[in-house]
Amino acid sequence: MTVTEQCAEEFRAEYATPRTAPDGGRVARTRRYLMCPPDHFTVSYAINPWMDTTRPVDTALARTQWDRLRGLYADLGHAVEVVDPVPGLPDMVYAANGGLVIDGLGLGSRFAHPQRAGEGPAYLARLRGLVHAGGLRSVAEASQVNEGEGDFLVVGAGRSARVLAGTGFRSTPAAHAEVQELFGLPVISLRLVDPRFYHLDTALAVLDDRTVAYYPAAFSPGSRAVLARLYPDAVLADDADAAVLGLNAVSDGRHVVLARRAVRLADQLRERGFEPIGVDLSELLKGGGGAKCCTLEIRP
């Protein structure tokens, strides 16, 4: 075993330990996340329907809200890595778009809009730094347009794992093929049709290895049929909760961090045995992002 493999194995042992709920309910699994502070966050251009350049942005408040999110992850026992923000890249706070990491392998992002193009190299360099630190095995540079975990969500683990992949506004179908070839996992393509839900992670949340929540109207009829076949017991969000990006949520298998205003969705999660935790990311919502947009999972 090489030194890198040994470090990765030690990381798996430390950060992939399931924590059984004392009541025998759902199990939280410790995660490792990558985040970027919003020190340069503003809305200086509009590339999705949420962005309005005439609305003022309080960058200091955005930082306070982000700090609370990061602190919440720490309180839940998760590890958080940080990537330094780059001046002139206001959307870099949306770390989920920066790449995809599965089983110690990473794929960098290639953004659809020129305004975000500089984020790709910045995140690629940070992920490669994690390789040198021994936490990852390798990281590949993307050849196709993909926006990381914004459009690629992993469901399950081991031999049962699959990748749900969004397209229609940002990541291309060719990127879906690139992900399947690199990671050797089945990729299920899903077409988004509502521009408010421009990334898959704005319309669908992975709750545990078998359960997802999603907003049906965000998907094409064929994609809705696929989701209904794969996840007949999915949690279905209504218009009101989808409209506050309630599905842009982060779950560790037990705790689900989501928009505080997604009240009905939180009630549904609670009925299923999850523990919803509402957060206020109102400033970051002005750029079209919530908790998940701010959070890239590093899977060892």
Side-chain angles (χ1 to χ4, degrees):
M1 180 182 290
T2 67
V3 173
T4 297
E5 289 170 338
Q6 182 176 358
C7 290
E9 192 65 30
E10 290 172 353
F11 176 82
R12 290 188 185 95
E14 181 178 358
Y15 289 107
T17 304
R19 292 179 286 129
T20 305
D23 59 2
R26 295 191 178 275
V27 176
R29 189 173 295 275
T30 306
R31 311 297 176 113
R32 184 186 188 190
Y33 298 132
L34 180 64
M35 301 180 69
C36 180
D39 294 350
H40 307 296
F41 176 68
T42 186
V43 178
S44 57
Y45 51 79
I47 58 174
N48 68 56
W50 302 87
M51 305 177 87
D52 181 351
T53 58
T54 67
R55 294 178 65 195
V57 171
D58 187 335
T59 303
L61 177 57
R63 177 62 196 249
T64 297
Q65 293 175 342
W66 182 91
D67 283 337
R68 289 172 181 162
L69 179 64
R70 181 185 178 185
L72 174 59
Y73 290 149
D75 290 343
L76 292 173
H78 305 308
V80 178
E81 304 276 354
V82 174
V83 57
D84 293 332
V86 177
L89 298 177
D91 283 348
M92 199 169 164
V93 62
Y94 303 124
N97 307 154
L100 176 65
V101 180
I102 307 172
D103 292 336
L105 298 177
L107 176 66
S109 296
R110 184 179 294 270
F111 287 85
H113 292 286
Q115 293 93 333
R116 300 194 67 182
E119 296 178 45
Y123 275 103
L124 187 66
R126 185 68 181 93
L127 291 174
R128 284 176 171 165
L130 295 178
V131 173
H132 296 314
L136 298 180
R137 289 185 284 150
S138 66
V139 175
E141 188 170 356
S143 64
Q144 305 298 326
V145 173
N146 88 77
E147 299 202 353
E149 280 196 331
D151 275 326
F152 295 95
L153 299 176
V154 181
V155 186
R159 297 179 64 86
S160 65
R162 64 166 63 107
V163 180
L164 302 181
T167 191
F169 297 104
R170 301 292 179 87
S171 301
T172 65
H176 296 187
E178 185 172 27
V179 166
Q180 181 164 282
E181 287 301 310
L182 177 64
F183 296 104
L185 293 174
V187 173
I188 310 298
S189 293
L190 301 168
R191 179 165 292 278
L192 298 161
V193 296
D194 185 329
R196 294 177 300 165
F197 308 104
Y198 57 95
H199 278 148
L200 182 63
D201 72 352
T202 64
L204 185 148
V206 177
L207 301 175
D208 62 21
D209 288 347
R210 295 174 300 276
T211 314
V212 304
Y214 66 96
Y215 176 53
F219 297 91
S220 69
S223 295
R224 290 200 299 271
V226 169
L227 287 169
R229 183 180 294 271
L230 290 175
Y231 305 105
D233 296 325
V235 176
L236 301 183
D238 63 15
D239 294 352
D241 288 338
V244 294
L245 288 190
L247 288 161
N248 195 243
V250 177
S251 174
D252 62 14
R254 179 183 176 96
H255 311 97
V256 183
V257 180
L258 75 165
R260 183 177 296 171
R261 294 167 62 194
V263 178
R264 182 174 178 274
L265 179 58
D267 288 341
Q268 290 187 84
L269 295 173
R270 200 172 289 111
E271 291 169 0
R272 298 287 192 98
F274 294 99
E275 295 184 20
I277 303 173
V279 293
D280 180 9
L281 295 175
S282 57
E283 287 305 298
L284 296 171
L285 183 62
K286 293 176 180 178
K292 176 56 190 168
C293 282
C294 295
T295 311
L296 172 61
E297 184 168 351
I298 307 297
R299 301 174 183 84

